[in-house]
Amino acid sequence: MERTKTKHFQYTGVDDFDVAIDEQINAFLVEAEITGERLIDIKYQAHSSQGVNNYSALVVYVD
């Protein structure tokens, strides 16, 4: 039985150890072996507050 799952990613760029959001997503897709057939959608959101840009993404996929 297939289950729909989600994985959240966030990037602010204020931490030296922060990895760009697209790199985080690509690494997850490779590690979890999620191919095109299992990937349902990727939703992006960005907002800025007090000069800090925040980027979020939600990957929706079938397990």
Side-chain angles (χ1 to χ4, degrees), residues 12-32:
T12 61
V14 296
D15 185 341
D16 288 341
F17 299 105
D18 245 354
V19 175
I21 202 161
D22 58 335
E23 290 180 30
Q24 293 178 50
I25 292 170
N26 287 333
F28 169 73
L29 294 175
V30 169
E31 180 180 312

Side-chain angles (χ1 to χ4, degrees), residues 3-59:
R3 295 181 301 167
T4 301
K5 295 181 89 175
T6 61
K7 175 75 173 165
H8 177 259
F9 299 90
Q10 183 171 324
Y11 174 77
T12 61
V14 296
D15 185 341
D16 288 341
F17 299 105
D18 245 354
V19 175
I21 202 161
D22 58 335
E23 290 180 30
Q24 293 178 50
I25 292 170
N26 287 333
F28 169 73
L29 294 175
V30 169
E31 180 180 312
E33 298 179 356
I34 297 173
T35 58
E37 303 86 45
R38 294 180 50 210
L39 185 61
I40 296 172
D41 201 359
I42 300 176
K43 299 288 187 185
Y44 289 96
Q45 178 68 38
H47 99 288
S48 180
S49 177
Q50 298 177 356
V52 176
N53 296 325
N54 293 293
Y55 304 93
S56 295
L58 187 68
V59 174

